Amino acid sequence: MKFHQKTILIMLCSVLLCMSGCVKSSDKIIKESLKNKYGEDFIIHETKTLPGGFDATVSPVSNPEILFVARIQSDGTYSFDDYDKRYVDYLLRKKLEKDFAPFFPDVAIFVDSKFSFTDENIDYTGSSLKELIEGMNNGDGYIKEASVYVFVNFDVGTTKKYAEEYDYLTDILDQEIKNNEMIPLKISFFRVDSETKERIKEYFSEDIDIDGYFVSEIVKANEDDFWEGVRDKNQTELGNPPRIVVCFGKDIWKDYLDVEEYTRRRELLETAP
């Protein structure tokens, strides 16, 4: 049987369309894999293609604020994710946003914690922050702390209640750490304007990396200047944007950073150009 050239082309197009329709997209593979693991639906914010699979930045539909990274193989096999860590980061951030509000009315906060759970199968999405902290490993060889990045909108300003800020970061925070309601913190306060703060907030709604792109395109700073900052008693160079670093929750830091030194750093940030 002979076929006209046009007929053959139509048949080939049909085959190609069928083949393309039968191949699952990376988004579909990732969503199905995570749905099988967690029994809920997820939003995909970014996908990086890897040899044999994908790294995807995702968040649950039920709470888009909780971003985490999941690695899924090309055939849909689940490899790993950091949902548990990022869920803790989310709870810490929400608590700090509330606690900082009396001092810093308009901020964008990013939290990056370090810890491990004693029970790898802990139901973290069904637990309170206190229950999760109580479930973290303690003792030699285990780290339990968080780096906190607070981008303060100085167009709005602060209340300049340095002594009250210090009391919160020492007396209140230390007591919460003892009660397993908080973990030790290393806090970076950055001075930014309204426009920069809004860009930062929007960025963290879809991404969770403080990387070169974040520094150059979102904060619009030089990387060396961004990581500069006052973290020692003898330092005055704040960097760009201006930054101070304070650590609380460990006796060595509490003894080192007294109220006078904390006030000095805050005043440097407050009066920075």
Side-chain angles (χ1 to χ4, degrees):
M1 182 180 293
K2 295 181 180 180
F3 294 93
H4 294 294
Q5 187 177 18
K6 183 177 180 180
T7 305
I8 294 173
L9 287 173
I10 292 172
M11 292 174 66
L12 286 172
C13 289
S14 298
V15 171
L16 290 172
L17 286 170
C18 179
M19 289 176 63
S20 64
C22 295
V23 176
K24 289 183 180 180
S25 68
S26 60
D27 282 11
K28 188 170 184 179
I29 292 170
I30 294 163
K31 287 181 178 181
E32 287 183 354
S33 181
L34 291 174
K35 179 71 175 283
N36 289 336
K37 178 170 178 59
Y38 292 109
E40 60 178 321
D41 295 319
F42 290 87
I43 301 165
I44 298 178
H45 300 279
E46 181 183 44
T47 302
K48 296 178 182 178
T49 301
L50 306 172
F54 317 97
D55 269 0
T57 301
V58 304
S59 60
V61 171
S62 60
N63 193 337
E65 288 190 69
I66 307 171
L67 274 69
F68 65 95
V69 173
R71 178 164 295 178
I72 309 297
Q73 296 179 28
S74 299
D75 64 359
T77 302
Y78 166 89
S79 292
F80 64 83
D81 66 57
D82 60 355
Y83 195 178
D84 55 350
K85 168 185 148 44
R86 297 300 179 179
Y87 187 80
V88 171
D89 289 349
Y90 165 75
L91 293 180
L92 290 171
R93 175 171 63 82
K94 298 305 284 186
K95 173 174 169 48
L96 291 172
E97 285 174 347
K98 179 181 178 182
D99 291 352
F100 282 163
F103 313 117
F104 308 98
D106 190 26
V107 299
I109 298 178
F110 178 73
V111 178
D112 187 16
S113 62
K114 296 180 181 178
F115 65 88
S116 62
F117 285 126
T118 303
D119 179 8
E120 293 183 357
N121 297 314
I122 187 170
D123 177 21
Y124 44 89
T125 59
S127 303
S128 66
L129 179 58
K130 180 178 176 66
E131 290 169 335
L132 292 173
I133 294 173
E134 289 173 344
M136 294 177 184
N137 279 313
N138 291 296
D140 295 338
Y142 294 104
I143 297 173
K144 185 169 64 173
E145 62 185 20
S147 294
V148 180
Y149 302 85
V150 184
F151 298 91
V152 184
N153 178 5
F154 269 82
D155 286 343
V156 173
T158 76
T159 58
K160 300 181 183 180
K161 296 178 180 178
Y162 308 137
E164 291 183 28
E165 293 172 22
Y166 185 82
D167 286 344
Y168 165 72
L169 291 167
T170 52
D171 296 343
I172 297 175
L173 196 62
D174 276 358
Q175 188 58 50
E176 290 180 340
I177 290 169
K178 291 175 183 176
N179 294 338
N180 287 321
E181 297 168 340
M182 179 54 74
I183 60 177
L185 303 177
K186 177 181 179 182
I187 308 172
S188 292
F189 289 103
F190 292 85
R191 180 188 178 109
V192 297
D193 58 24
S194 296
E195 186 178 341
T196 303
K197 192 227 79 176
E198 286 305 314
R199 285 199 307 271
I200 290 170
K201 200 156 191 174
E202 182 178 353
Y203 174 85
F204 286 136
S205 71
E206 297 184 343
D207 208 329
I208 46 176
D209 296 313
I210 294 186
D211 53 14
Y213 176 85
F214 172 80
V215 173
S216 64
E217 302 302 319
I218 304 302
V219 182
K220 300 188 182 302
N222 173 277
E223 190 136 1
D224 289 339
D225 291 338
F226 178 83
W227 293 113
E228 182 67 82
V230 173
R231 60 176 65 85
D232 200 331
K233 284 188 175 181
N234 298 317
Q235 288 182 314
T236 56
E237 293 297 324
L238 291 163
N240 180 37
R243 172 187 182 228
I244 63 171
V245 182
V246 295
C247 299
F248 291 100
K250 297 179 180 178
D251 290 339
I252 184 172
W253 283 108
K254 185 176 179 181
D255 292 341
Y256 170 72
L257 194 63
D258 55 27
V259 65
E260 288 78 14
E261 176 59 16
Y262 178 79
T263 300
R264 183 187 78 88
R265 296 186 196 185
R266 278 289 288 109
E267 287 178 339
L268 282 172
L269 190 67
E270 203 75 33
T271 58

